[in-house]
Amino acid sequence: MLDQRRRLRAALADRLLAVCYGAGVDSTAMLIALKLAGLRPHIITFADTSAEKPPTLDHLDRMDAVLARWSWPAIVRCRKQTLPGTAYGDLYGNCLANETLPSLAFGLKSCSIKWKQKPQDQAIKGAASGPNAAEPHSIWLEAARRGARIVKLIGYDCGRADLRRSRRLSAADADFDYAYPLQMLGWDRPDCIRVIAETLGAHMVPIKSACFFCPASKIWELYWLAAHYPDLLERALVLERNALTGRHSRFSEVQFGASWEDLVRSADRFPSTATTVGLGRSFAWNQWVRVNDVVDASFRVKRGAEDRRRFLAMADHLQDHGNALDARAA
């Protein structure tokens, strides 16, 4: 709407704009909103943890083609480089080497800061030394020349969860200001899905962007993963078992009366506890896949045609109207 375009332009015109692109529904709709408002970002960054699902990587390529048609800058893939001799080079390897779960499983955000936020900051500010050493991006140099501040644009929508997240964040830090264009427009997730479908086509509505072993995954997403990418689900199960039976496990056999492995293989659920017992926080993915007949006795995901149909049917049944796959087939 014209008044919405004016609202965005009043807030962001003539500012140095850096889009933090997550490659999901919200951030894709945010790019469209900027385009419709006649606002062109100076840089678009995506944090590559080497753990995204294949459709998300495909979506990045498709969006780069869209951006090229718009004469916009291509998406900068930002990846944390580890020191030479480090036993891992990505978030999954980090968790395996340390025998732990991603920090989100414990209600923390350190994995996001380390593997997402800092690499994107370095793509803008540059780094003087270390494995991520690089020159500053031109937007950083322009900000210094003007004596202006860069505005980071975040794709939080008007849904309750994103409103809650954005309220907890400051409007600025030492280096950047922060703005939430979708909230300026009053768009929620269904609005974002509709705008993407109407502007770019329903085939451009992306799946939820997240690591394949993300602790925030919903049950329908586990079924979806089992149907489409059983190898990735198996890797997640290995990571979880490695963490909950490893040296940094917070699981107490004394507290629960049985080992983690025994409960996974024989119990229907873990006793109620505040202790993180798996990637599902209150439940272990390994136990869930066994109880729901997703794996065989060796914890290999079942790959039969009937199994896959069942997984797809369950994923479709359990989705709600806020899910990114609404405009696409499961």
Side-chain angles (χ1 to χ4, degrees), residues 120-179:
Q120 290 183 91
D121 285 352
Q122 289 175 328
I124 296 172
K125 298 165 55 179
S129 60
N132 291 281
E135 294 297 318
H137 189 272
S138 59
I139 189 177
W140 187 256
L141 301 176
E142 180 64 12
R145 186 187 70 80
R146 290 193 202 177
R149 289 179 61 82
I150 296 167
V151 184
K152 274 193 174 184
L153 303 182
I154 312 295
Y156 284 159
D157 62 34
C158 287
R160 284 179 297 183
D162 277 2
L163 286 172
R164 185 172 61 250
R165 292 186 190 102
S166 60
R167 277 197 295 266
R168 291 200 295 259
L169 302 176
S170 62
D173 60 22
D175 297 316
F176 304 103
D177 293 340
Y178 295 91

Side-chain angles (χ1 to χ4, degrees), residues 12-295:
L12 302 174
D14 300 322
R15 300 294 304 273
L16 295 169
L17 305 179
V19 170
C20 296
Y21 186 61
V25 163
D26 285 350
S27 58
T28 298
M30 178 171 64
L31 289 180
I32 293 171
L34 295 175
K35 173 64 175 175
L36 294 175
L39 296 167
R40 184 181 187 274
H42 298 77
I43 185 174
I44 305 168
T45 60
F46 170 79
D48 180 6
T49 63
S50 297
E52 291 283 357
K53 305 174 189 74
T56 297
L57 301 179
D58 293 341
H59 183 69
L60 285 168
D61 293 337
R62 291 197 300 271
M63 281 305 300
D64 263 339
V66 170
L67 297 175
R69 293 199 300 271
W70 293 352
S71 298
W72 278 21
I75 300 163
V76 179
R77 273 78 159 174
C78 308
R79 184 175 178 184
K80 175 180 172 56
Q81 302 296 326
T82 54
L83 291 167
T86 303
Y88 55 84
D90 56 27
L91 175 56
Y92 183 88
N94 190 177
C95 290
L96 278 183
N98 290 338
E99 297 182 5
T100 189
L101 300 173
S103 63
L104 189 59
F106 308 109
L108 306 173
K109 294 287 188 179
S110 60
C111 64
S112 180
I113 294 170
K114 178 178 179 180
W115 295 94
K116 291 188 174 184
Q117 179 182 324
K118 286 187 176 179
Q120 290 183 91
D121 285 352
Q122 289 175 328
I124 296 172
K125 298 165 55 179
S129 60
N132 291 281
E135 294 297 318
H137 189 272
S138 59
I139 189 177
W140 187 256
L141 301 176
E142 180 64 12
R145 186 187 70 80
R146 290 193 202 177
R149 289 179 61 82
I150 296 167
V151 184
K152 274 193 174 184
L153 303 182
I154 312 295
Y156 284 159
D157 62 34
C158 287
R160 284 179 297 183
D162 277 2
L163 286 172
R164 185 172 61 250
R165 292 186 190 102
S166 60
R167 277 197 295 266
R168 291 200 295 259
L169 302 176
S170 62
D173 60 22
D175 297 316
F176 304 103
D177 293 340
Y178 295 91
Y180 311 99
L182 299 179
Q183 294 182 357
M184 295 178 190
L185 297 171
W187 289 1
D188 59 15
R189 183 168 292 267
D191 291 324
C192 292
I193 292 172
R194 176 183 54 78
V195 167
I196 297 169
E198 290 179 355
T199 308
L200 301 180
H203 68 288
M204 288 295 290
V205 178
I207 70 165
K208 177 183 174 182
S209 172
C211 295
F212 65 85
F213 50 91
C214 179
S217 299
K218 305 293 193 299
I219 294 298
W220 76 266
E221 293 176 287
L222 300 186
Y223 278 118
W224 183 91
L225 198 62
H228 290 285
Y229 300 102
D231 56 327
L232 294 183
L233 180 54
E234 287 172 354
R235 290 182 66 197
L237 298 179
V238 168
L239 183 150
E240 181 185 69
R241 177 172 272 105
N242 183 66
L244 270 296
T245 59
R247 64 187 185 279
H248 297 308
S249 172
R250 301 183 183 187
F251 183 86
S252 169
E253 185 172 343
V254 173
Q255 175 187 353
F256 289 95
S259 71
W260 182 87
E261 191 71 45
D262 287 340
L263 287 172
V264 162
R265 291 183 176 275
S266 61
D268 288 341
R269 63 181 61 86
F270 279 86
S272 178
T273 176
T275 302
T276 296
V277 297
L279 281 169
R281 301 179 186 176
S282 61
F283 71 95
W285 286 19
N286 274 272
Q287 186 183 56
W288 180 88
V289 294
R290 176 188 63 79
V291 170
N292 290 279
D293 199 28
V294 174
V295 296

